[in-house]
Amino acid sequence: MARAKIALIGAGMIGGTLAHIAAREELGDVVLFDIMEGTPQGKALDIAEATAVFGSDVSLKGANDYSAIADADVCIVTAGVPRKPGMSRDDLLGINLKVMKAVGEGIKTYAPNAFVICITNPLDAMVWALREFSGLPHKKVVGMAGVLDSSRFAYFLAEKTGVSVEDIHAWTLGGHGDDMVPMVRHSTIAGLPLPEVVAQGWISQDELDGIVKRTRGGGGEIVALLKTGSAFYAPAESAIAMATSYLKDKKRVLPCAAYLSGEYGLRGLYVGVPVVIGKDGAERIIQFSVNDDEKAMFAKSVESVQGLIAACKTIDPSLA
Ligand code: A3D
């Protein structure tokens, strides 16, 4: 059986890390694409030269021409610019929207059957725009943010409670901004919902509130430390989990930015919800029960996403 082909559009910090993980895990042949001449070729060759060490029989190629992504099974999009200290994700909108247009058209021409995972920020608006520009079915285009935000939430909980990250199931929904919605009632440690964990005295309500706040600002915390860019290891791992679930038809339930057609009372936009990822892409959206507080937080987060989509339509009238 032919190996899967994974096209990484954007060969920067996340793109290079994705290539490294995909090669190590023998997930498929990797093509790194970027507009910078030499960068995708150099990173592909560097990782290819390590395959004999880690014993992986995949090919790695770098390219500056979209024809190289032809017939890719998966495209992971990181093309664009990341945040610098003092910038919000939304500040990236104008620049990255133009990039999504070029990428969307490249995917439409060369890889129309791919499962597409967008990582470029501001995520929920960029994945929406990328889907519009590419014309691919909504189920085949998703955004990566929830896996990362939930992983940060789980890590902070593990650190505070002294329980293995493997026994924590944390969920964040809504848009990938500072008003994302960590789902405290639906997140569990060894099956116990977090309010129960607080009631049993493992952590105090104040500590839990602090963790929720830190999760919401998790991206900014890394930007402030790195100073020259944003997180890349955890975002890359998160997108690989999504690609793996698609390629292996694992049907994992992962929080992803998915297109809503009535779920959660919303239509016509992308926002973070729990999704079954299998061979058909975003196969099913899971509906969490939401109480009034959660509904209000979700609505606020969705409002920000709707504002960004409206801004995209103003900048590029072809999207209106
Ligand atoms: P960086 O290392 O700058 O890589 C971006 C790459 O995109 C560079 O190599 C550019 O040359 C390339 N590029 C720019 N324009 C184009 C184009 N038109 N076509 C192809 N390639 C192009 O950034 P990064 O890898 O650190 O981050 C990439 C994106 O991911 C940024 O928008 C970040 O904000 C975003 N990001 C999202 C998350 C989420 O959780 C959603 C987390 C971290 C970063």
Side-chain angles (χ1 to χ4, degrees):
M1 213 162 78
R3 280 196 293 263
K5 177 169 173 177
I6 300 162
L8 306 174
I9 304 179
M13 297 308 289
I14 302 178
T17 311
L18 284 166
H20 188 190
I21 304 169
R24 264 196 104 109
E25 306 250 321
E26 237 174 16
L27 212 51
D29 292 333
V30 175
V31 173
L32 269 163
F33 170 91
D34 204 289
I35 47 167
M36 294 285 287
E37 282 181 24
T39 302
Q41 291 85 351
K43 290 194 178 186
L45 181 60
D46 190 10
I47 298 166
E49 287 169 356
T51 53
V53 182
F54 53 66
S56 173
D57 289 301
V58 296
S59 82
L60 290 116
K61 289 197 170 56
N64 304 113
D65 190 307
Y66 272 107
S67 59
I69 72 162
D71 302 323
D73 298 290
V74 171
C75 293
I76 307 182
V77 178
T78 59
V81 294
R83 282 196 284 170
K84 302 256 161 46
M87 288 173 89
S88 79
R89 294 177 178 94
D90 302 355
D91 293 336
L92 307 173
L93 187 89
I95 306 169
N96 287 349
L97 184 62
K98 287 202 190 82
V99 176
M100 289 306 101
K101 189 174 170 73
V103 175
E105 286 166 0
I107 292 174
K108 183 183 198 163
T109 307
Y110 292 104
N113 297 316
F115 178 56
V116 179
I117 301 170
C118 180
I119 306 185
T120 302
N121 271 320
L123 191 270
D124 307 272
M126 291 303 98
V127 64
W128 174 84
L130 181 64
R131 206 305 307 170
E132 294 290 314
F133 289 130
S134 70
L136 264 60
H138 290 101
K139 276 180 156 195
K140 298 296 282 296
V141 183
V142 294
M144 187 297 293
V147 178
L148 169 67
D149 297 329
S150 303
S151 177
R152 285 181 175 145
F153 191 19
Y155 168 69
F156 299 146
L157 287 164
E159 195 186 36
K160 190 59 91 184
T161 57
V163 168
S164 165
V165 283
E166 288 192 74
D167 297 313
I168 298 179
H169 281 95
W171 295 94
T172 55
L173 305 186
H176 179 59
D178 295 346
D179 50 12
M180 69 181 75
V181 189
M183 299 296 287
V184 167
R185 286 187 317 126
H186 297 77
S187 299
T188 59
I189 300 183
L192 291 178
L194 294 183
E196 180 72 22
V197 170
V198 171
Q200 290 193 17
W202 294 27
I203 51 172
S204 67
Q205 186 61 48
D206 276 358
E207 285 172 324
L208 179 57
D209 293 346
I211 287 173
V212 165
K213 191 164 174 238
R214 191 173 176 199
T215 301
R216 285 200 166 119
E221 186 177 354
I222 303 271
V223 170
L225 289 166
L226 294 181
K227 296 183 182 70
T228 53
S230 54
F232 52 98
Y233 293 116
E237 286 289 354
S238 303
I240 291 285
M242 293 165 67
T244 304
S245 194
Y246 171 75
L247 288 170
K248 298 189 177 177
D249 193 24
K250 282 174 72 76
K251 305 203 189 292
R252 290 200 59 197
V253 183
L254 298 168
C256 307
Y259 187 76
L260 299 184
S261 316
E263 300 88 351
Y264 293 87
L266 295 164
R267 236 168 238 290
L269 82 167
Y270 275 82
V271 74
V273 288
V275 183
V276 176
I277 303 281
K279 65 174 177 16
D280 295 324
E283 294 184 350
R284 189 150 54 98
I285 290 170
I286 309 278
Q287 296 254 160
F288 276 4
S289 65
V290 280
N291 64 23
D292 286 348
D293 282 354
E294 290 154 356
K295 211 179 274 175
M297 283 192 282
F298 199 72
K300 183 163 178 264
S301 175
V302 164
E303 210 175 288
S304 311
V305 175
Q306 282 165 332
L308 290 171
I309 291 178
C312 288
K313 290 179 180 172
T314 308
I315 297 169
D316 186 334
S318 76
L319 290 167

